[in-house]
Amino acid sequence: MTIPTADGDTRTAAGLPAQLRAEPAAPESPGASNSRLARAALLTAVLSAAGSILGLGRDQSLAHLFGAGSETDAFLVAWTVPEFASTLLIEDGLAFVLVPAFSAAIARRAQAGGTDPVRSLVSSSLPRFGLAFLAATVLLIAGAPFLVHVLAPGLPDPQLAVDCTRLTATCVLTFGLAGYCSAALRAHGCYLPPAAIYVAYNIGIIATMLVCGTRLGVRSAAMGVAVGGCLMVAVQLPAFQRRLNTAKAGENLADEPGGETAAKVRAMHLGLIAAVLAFALCKQSQVFIERFLASSLAAGSISHLNYAQKVAQLPMSFSLMLCTVTFPVVAQAVARGDVAAARARIERDLGLAACVVLVGAAAIFACAPQIIQVLFQRGAFTAADTAATASVMRVYALGLLGHSMVGALVRSYFSAGRPTWYPVGAMAVGMAATAGVGARTVDLWGVRGIAGANAFGITLTAVLLLAGMDRRSVPVDVSKVLAEMGKPLLAAAGATVAGLMAAASFTSPLAAGGAGCLAVAAVFVVLLWALRAESLAPLVPVVRSATRKLRHAR
């Protein structure tokens, strides 16, 4: 079995670069490993669900207090900064650099003599990252007027957007530190503090809006981003410090013997950072394109896109939770040369992610008007806003599988901690497709044309990433993955029809939405079972355990 190296060649697992190779540790039993991952996934799911619910509360507060007009549009242009920063520094980018690095350091720890590789990694990398985060923050604050002009040249009140951007720019520093702590803790198998960061973040935003909204207007939401970013660091710092204090102090990595090897490691990290930065920039550019095109439409168009996207992406976020938990597992398997274990984990994660995101997409498409009405239609958010947002959300749902697959697949490309530019090229092609299709459809279909362009571009990227897996990443059986993915696709199509019929049977939006979502879930599971989808296999032990407990209870 071969995997790609930094210079484009392939080597066997035994031929991995020295900084990524470690002697295999005593393998953990499959039952213990699965049990540990199940607990971590459940913990992450609970806290992520809490963060997502609070995120909905944040958006509801924004809609209730400020509606979907020009002021909210101005804030959402500034919101582009934390959106991009979270992608680059927490969710994807920085994690792709640091999780493999910490995983390799942990794998080498047993072989270290007087130097602890983890502590050396922190002492050599954290100061550099911190200075970079601070410099980027200052640059964004100074360049806020130019950034607003580039992102949304058609805004009626650009100064409000500039003020909000300067407040949200502080998140580059706080998100960077939070992302660094998250990567280190997850590599150590500590999931509670990283999973709690969005709970703390959204509490900070909601509290600031409620306290300062009357006096500061929509600027209070931007101030809340600054407060929430600080809370993200605060909830992780104690656990991060404990992990460092338990490690034995050692010399800096640059001072260790083998300066040539250390220089190669630094060069590899610089190349990896460049590749990850380019990928995250291309990925987030889809949001830039959307807001650029929507800024020339009627007031509220950016807001409709935002609310629709936030709700529609909830299934994608849940589908990627398992991948977030298992990414350190894949990275450690690659670090010790166990490519088979990495491949099996990735194939299993892709199937589960597809199931979760598709059942969510079916529910969103079937019940979009009811969901938006129940969540947002109050205060300054009108029935017209509900209709516009729901129509956009249905179009977004068509691209959710692509979003989820991109998030899952790109982790495998960066799991070895080496630079690879194929994901950047695939994402650039998707970005170009989004821009081209969006420019042609925005005049015909307005915000729905923009959402359709997003769905097309991200789906194209997912296809390209999957096509390149066998040659440039951990090799997976692409035909097997596609065959298994077809089963939840068919189940989602049938579930959507059932959801539409169930929702149409009620006049109350709450009852219609509840009935539609229940019908979608029930039909989806039945069809998956009828199609004998392997994605249901991990649930069998859980069901059997629950059945045994109920039998004993009787």
Side-chain angles (χ1 to χ4, degrees):
M1 189 65 63
T2 60
I3 57 177
T5 60
D7 56 9
D9 295 328
T10 58
R11 302 178 189 175
T12 61
L16 283 170
Q19 67 269 24
L20 295 177
R21 188 176 66 242
E23 294 298 327
E28 189 177 17
S29 68
S33 177
N34 290 335
S35 176
R36 179 174 56 83
L37 289 177
R39 288 195 299 269
L42 179 61
L43 179 65
T44 302
V46 170
L47 288 174
S48 296
S52 297
I53 291 170
L54 286 168
L56 280 177
R58 175 201 67 209
D59 293 337
Q60 287 177 318
S61 300
L62 186 68
H64 179 74
L65 293 171
F66 311 113
S70 58
E71 285 192 1
T72 310
D73 286 353
F75 165 71
L76 291 174
V77 171
W79 183 258
T80 304
V81 176
E83 279 183 322
F84 177 70
S86 64
T87 298
L88 177 62
L89 303 176
I90 299 175
E91 297 166 6
D92 291 338
L94 197 63
F96 295 155
V97 176
L98 290 176
V99 170
F102 275 105
S103 297
I106 292 169
R108 298 198 314 269
R109 178 180 279 167
Q111 297 177 316
T115 301
D116 182 76
V118 176
R119 196 177 183 93
S120 295
L121 177 61
V122 172
S123 64
S124 63
S125 61
L126 183 56
R128 296 188 181 113
F129 277 118
L131 287 175
F133 300 149
L134 181 60
T137 299
V138 173
L139 184 62
L140 280 173
I141 291 174
F146 174 76
L147 180 63
V148 168
H149 177 72
V150 170
L151 290 177
L155 278 181
D157 186 6
Q159 186 55 47
L160 177 59
V162 170
D163 293 343
C164 291
T165 300
R166 284 175 169 153
L167 288 167
T168 59
T170 58
C171 75
V172 175
L173 176 60
T174 55
F175 281 21
L177 296 176
Y180 190 98
C181 293
S182 293
L185 291 172
R186 286 189 173 116
H188 281 86
C190 178
Y191 295 99
L192 176 60
I197 59 175
Y198 285 110
V199 174
Y201 175 61
N202 287 318
I203 287 175
I205 297 177
I206 294 171
T208 306
M209 280 196 293
L210 294 178
V211 172
C212 305
T214 304
R215 182 162 48 93
L216 298 179
V218 79
R219 290 178 178 85
S220 63
M223 183 179 293
V225 172
V227 173
C230 295
L231 294 177
M232 293 171 94
V233 180
V235 298
Q236 296 185 101
L237 197 55
F240 179 75
Q241 289 177 327
R242 284 197 300 271
R243 292 304 182 282
L244 284 187
N245 290 338
T246 55
K248 51 187 177 181
E251 301 174 14
N252 189 284
L253 183 63
D255 298 327
E256 290 180 353
E260 182 180 355
T261 300
K264 289 180 180 178
V265 172
R266 287 195 297 271
M268 179 196 68
H269 286 169
L270 289 175
L272 180 59
I273 291 170
V276 166
L277 177 63
F279 174 83
L281 181 61
C282 289
K283 183 180 180 183
Q284 201 61 29
S285 291
Q286 290 198 313
V287 178
F288 301 160
I289 293 165
E290 288 181 17
R291 290 180 181 164
F292 179 87
L293 294 173
S295 67
S296 60
L297 299 176
S301 296
I302 295 178
S303 299
H304 297 148
L305 281 167
N306 173 76
Y307 293 127
Q309 189 180 64
K310 290 296 186 296
V311 178
Q313 287 187 347
L314 284 175
M316 180 199 71
S317 301
F318 285 119
S319 73
L320 291 177
M321 284 188 302
L322 179 64
C323 299
T324 299
V325 171
T326 59
F327 181 42
V329 178
V330 174
Q332 289 172 14
V334 173
R336 64 176 183 265
D338 192 352
V339 181
R343 179 177 63 246
R345 171 55 60 183
I346 290 170
E347 291 176 351
R348 190 179 304 120
D349 290 352
L350 287 173
L352 287 172
C355 285
V356 173
V357 76
L358 284 171
V359 69
I364 282 173
F365 192 94
C367 308
Q370 294 84 3
I371 291 172
I372 296 298
Q373 185 174 351
V374 170
L375 290 178
F376 296 112
Q377 190 174 313
R378 60 184 62 86
F381 199 91
T382 66
D385 294 324
T386 294
T389 303
S391 65
V392 174
M393 192 166 73
R394 277 179 164 158
V395 180
Y396 267 132
L398 301 177
L400 286 181
L401 179 62
H403 278 286
S404 182
M405 291 301 99
V406 168
L409 290 168
V410 77
R411 283 167 168 78
S412 66
Y413 279 92
F414 292 114
S415 60
R418 297 191 300 278
T420 174
W421 290 93
Y422 182 78
V424 180
M427 197 68 243
V429 171
M431 178 190 67
T434 299
V437 174
R440 289 182 175 273
T441 57
V442 65
D443 292 332
L444 294 174
W445 299 312
V447 287
R448 286 176 295 178
I450 297 173
N454 178 293
F456 177 78
I458 199 67
T459 303
L460 178 60
T461 299
V463 171
L464 293 174
L465 287 176
L466 187 59
M469 283 288 291
D470 58 341
R471 299 184 303 276
R472 301 172 180 87
S473 179
V474 177
V476 300
D477 188 339
V478 176
S479 60
K480 177 183 175 182
V481 169
L482 289 175
E484 279 302 310
M485 205 171 292
K487 295 175 183 179
L489 270 172
L490 290 174
T496 301
V497 175
L500 286 168
M501 295 173 62
S505 303
F506 297 87
T507 55
S508 165
L510 184 59
C517 291
L518 286 174
V520 165
V523 173
F524 185 82
V525 172
V526 169
L527 290 177
L528 269 190
W529 176 80
L531 293 168
R532 298 184 178 181
E534 291 185 8
S535 304
L536 292 178
L539 300 179
V540 173
V542 177
V543 175
R544 287 177 177 170
S545 176
T547 304
R548 283 197 301 268
K549 289 180 180 179
L550 287 174
R551 192 181 301 123
H552 291 316
R554 290 197 299 268

